[in-house]
Amino acid sequence: MKVNHHALELEQNYLFSEVAKRIRAFQAENTGKELLKLSIGDVTRPLAKIITDEMKAAAEDMSHAETFHGYGAEQGEAFLRDAVAAYYKKHGIEIDAADIFISDGAKCDLGNLCDLFDADNTVLLPNPVYPVYYDTSIMAGRRVVFSAGTKENGFLPMPDDSVSADIIYLCSPNNPTGAVYSREQLAEWVAYAKRQNALILFDAAYESYIRDPKLPHSIYEIPGAETCALEINSLSKMAGFTGVRCGWTVVPRTLQFDGASLHDMWFRRMATKYNGTSYIIQRAAAKVFTDEGQIAVHKDIDYYMENARILKDALNQAGINSVGGENAPYVWMECPDNADSWAYFDRLLHTYGIAGTPGVGFGTAGQGWLRFSSFGTRETVEKAAAFLAKQ
Ligand code: MLT
């Protein structure tokens, strides 16, 4: 038996596992310092009651022969796909429900989509980047090239025609930097993808955090994207579903590559390797897209965005440069005194009990930066902000 040697090319620990390991070591020291956790982007607000009530009602359905559900539809239940399509329509985007595939989350889809692409493809990644894009590309044995986000370009790298690519990952609002592409910038990416005959994988997991009405929520706001992009999204951050698990991917039937329909390939892949998101969860997810559901989840989104504002204010007071946090739940700060990301991470953790995520963990271009998640509780954020303001 031979193993996949590409999987051995990865760093020993997934970034968030390494951060968690250092946090556990800090806790084991028993210094009496409270841990102020602003590292992994995991939500802390409980689910809205309107959503858990829907889960309970759906669970009740399962206990009666007349309303019981076994295996669901391969692509996800029609009621949920229609609700997602209607959500896009509210943003003025026409997506056919037949092009939407329900899943158990964006991270899983991002990894699973790799099944559709040959190993002999060049992947273009922004740097810094959500580690899942890099790790899954390496595991699949693909070549990876980078496009650097810098302070000068506002961590929004733009296409360069001298770089060839077959698969392009974009995340906007961005994890980890919180930067958001404008419509014009995304149009440049779409034009580049078409020139390259490349596919864009657009991760829109944080679109519900956008405040500025001029900023695009979806790649499909750009004309022509339906022939070169698929889009991944999830309810993890929009509705607090990190522990519930539900997401979706839009694979338009207009996407044709190498003589094949990516839609038909993804349908076949899902039918073979996935038995669907639980009926109870799909019912809860559909509730998120109702008017009352949107009001409820936006209360939590507002709460997290207020956390981001508090963190940014504290950094401003301390004279520390940061980006993000205005249309995204991540604040990306420049480590003071040109400190190395991991050294500054350790210093914040051991001096104040504050845990962020070292920027270099998201790629070499993140060296000297650190990410704060604004998904903590208000109490945690206020305590951390007080330390950060006077450091
Ligand atoms: C993060 O901290 O970047 C997120 O939790 C990652 C994720 O959503 O998987």
Coordinates of all heavy atoms in Angstrom, one line a residue, residues 14 16 39-42 107 130-132 175 206 236-237 330 357 362 371 373, ligand 1:
Y14 N -2.1 21.6 11.0 CA -3.0 22.6 10.4 C -2.8 23.9 11.3 O -2.7 23.8 12.5 CB -4.4 22.1 10.5 CG -5.5 23.0 9.9 CD1 -5.4 23.4 8.6 CD2 -6.6 23.3 10.6 CE1 -6.3 24.3 8.1 CE2 -7.6 24.1 10.1 CZ -7.4 24.6 8.8 OH -8.4 25.4 8.3
F16 N -4.7 26.1 12.7 CA -5.5 26.3 13.9 C -5.2 25.3 14.9 O -5.5 25.5 16.1 CB -7.0 26.5 13.5 CG -7.2 27.7 12.7 CD1 -7.5 27.6 11.3 CD2 -7.1 28.9 13.3 CE1 -7.7 28.7 10.6 CE2 -7.3 30.1 12.5 CZ -7.6 30.0 11.1
S39 N -8.8 34.0 18.4 CA -7.9 33.3 17.4 C -8.8 32.7 16.3 O -9.2 33.4 15.3 CB -7.1 32.2 18.0 OG -7.8 31.5 19.0
I40 N -9.2 31.4 16.4 CA -10.0 30.8 15.3 C -11.3 31.6 15.2 O -11.9 32.0 16.1 CB -10.2 29.3 15.6 CG1 -10.8 28.6 14.3 CG2 -11.1 29.0 16.8 CD1 -10.7 27.1 14.3
G41 N -11.8 31.7 13.9 CA -13.0 32.4 13.7 C -14.2 31.5 14.0 O -15.0 31.1 13.1
D42 N -14.4 31.2 15.3 CA -15.6 30.4 15.6 C -16.6 31.3 16.4 O -16.2 32.0 17.4 CB -15.1 29.2 16.5 CG -16.2 28.2 16.6 OD1 -17.3 28.4 16.0 OD2 -16.0 27.2 17.4
K107 N -15.7 24.7 3.9 CA -14.4 24.0 4.0 C -14.5 22.7 3.3 O -13.6 22.3 2.5 CB -14.0 23.9 5.5 CG -12.7 23.3 5.7 CD -12.5 23.1 7.2 CE -11.1 22.9 7.7 NZ -11.1 22.9 9.2
Y130 N -6.5 31.7 3.3 CA -7.2 30.7 4.1 C -6.4 29.4 3.9 O -6.4 29.0 2.7 CB -8.6 30.6 3.8 CG -9.5 29.6 4.5 CD1 -9.3 29.4 5.8 CD2 -10.5 29.0 3.8 CE1 -10.1 28.5 6.5 CE2 -11.3 28.0 4.4 CZ -11.1 27.8 5.8 OH -11.9 26.9 6.4
P131 N -5.8 28.8 4.9 CA -4.9 27.6 4.6 C -5.5 26.5 3.9 O -4.8 25.7 3.3 CB -4.5 27.2 6.0 CG -5.1 28.1 7.0 CD -5.9 29.1 6.3
V132 N -6.9 26.3 3.9 CA -7.5 25.2 3.3 C -7.3 25.2 1.8 O -7.1 24.1 1.1 CB -9.0 25.2 3.6 CG1 -9.8 24.2 2.8 CG2 -9.3 25.0 5.1
N175 N -10.6 36.3 4.3 CA -10.0 35.7 5.5 C -8.6 35.3 5.0 O -8.4 34.6 4.0 CB -10.8 34.4 5.8 CG -10.2 33.6 7.0 OD1 -9.4 34.2 7.7 ND2 -10.6 32.4 7.1
Y206 N -18.1 35.2 3.9 CA -18.2 36.4 4.9 C -19.1 37.5 4.2 O -19.1 38.6 4.7 CB -16.8 36.9 5.3 CG -16.1 35.8 6.0 CD1 -15.2 35.0 5.3 CD2 -16.3 35.6 7.4 CE1 -14.5 34.0 6.0 CE2 -15.6 34.6 8.0 CZ -14.7 33.8 7.3 OH -14.0 32.8 8.0
S236 N -22.1 29.1 8.4 CA -21.3 29.1 9.6 C -21.2 30.5 10.2 O -21.4 30.7 11.4 CB -19.9 28.6 9.3 OG -20.0 27.2 9.1
K237 N -20.9 31.5 9.4 CA -20.6 32.8 9.9 C -21.9 33.7 9.8 O -22.1 34.6 10.6 CB -19.4 33.5 9.2 CG -18.2 32.6 9.1 CD -17.6 32.2 10.5 CE -16.8 31.0 10.5 NZ -15.5 31.0 9.9
Y330 N -12.9 40.1 10.5 CA -11.5 39.9 10.9 C -10.7 41.3 10.9 O -11.0 42.1 10.0 CB -10.8 39.0 9.9 CG -11.3 37.5 10.0 CD1 -11.9 36.9 8.9 CD2 -11.2 36.8 11.2 CE1 -12.4 35.6 9.0 CE2 -11.7 35.6 11.3 CZ -12.3 35.0 10.2 OH -12.8 33.7 10.3
T357 N -4.3 35.0 15.8 CA -3.7 34.0 14.8 C -2.5 34.7 14.1 O -2.7 35.8 13.5 CB -4.7 33.5 13.8 OG1 -5.9 33.0 14.6 CG2 -4.2 32.4 13.0
F362 N -0.9 32.2 7.5 CA -1.7 32.2 6.3 C -0.9 32.4 5.1 O -1.4 32.6 4.0 CB -2.7 33.4 6.5 CG -3.7 33.3 7.6 CD1 -3.4 34.0 8.8 CD2 -4.8 32.5 7.5 CE1 -4.3 33.9 9.9 CE2 -5.7 32.5 8.5 CZ -5.5 33.1 9.7
R371 N -3.8 38.2 13.0 CA -5.3 38.4 12.8 C -6.1 38.3 14.1 O -5.8 37.4 14.9 CB -5.8 37.3 11.8 CG -7.2 37.5 11.4 CD -7.8 36.2 10.7 NE -8.1 35.2 11.7 CZ -8.8 34.1 11.4 NH1 -9.1 33.8 10.2 NH2 -9.1 33.2 12.4
S373 N -10.0 37.6 15.4 CA -11.4 37.3 15.0 C -12.3 38.1 15.9 O -12.0 38.3 17.1 CB -11.6 35.8 15.3 OG -12.9 35.6 15.6
Ligands
MLT1 C1 -10.8 30.8 10.6 O1 -10.5 31.1 11.8 O2 -10.2 31.2 9.7 C2 -12.1 30.0 10.4 O3 -12.6 29.5 11.5 C3 -11.8 29.0 9.4 C4 -13.0 28.3 9.0 O4 -14.1 28.8 8.9 O5 -12.8 27.1 8.8

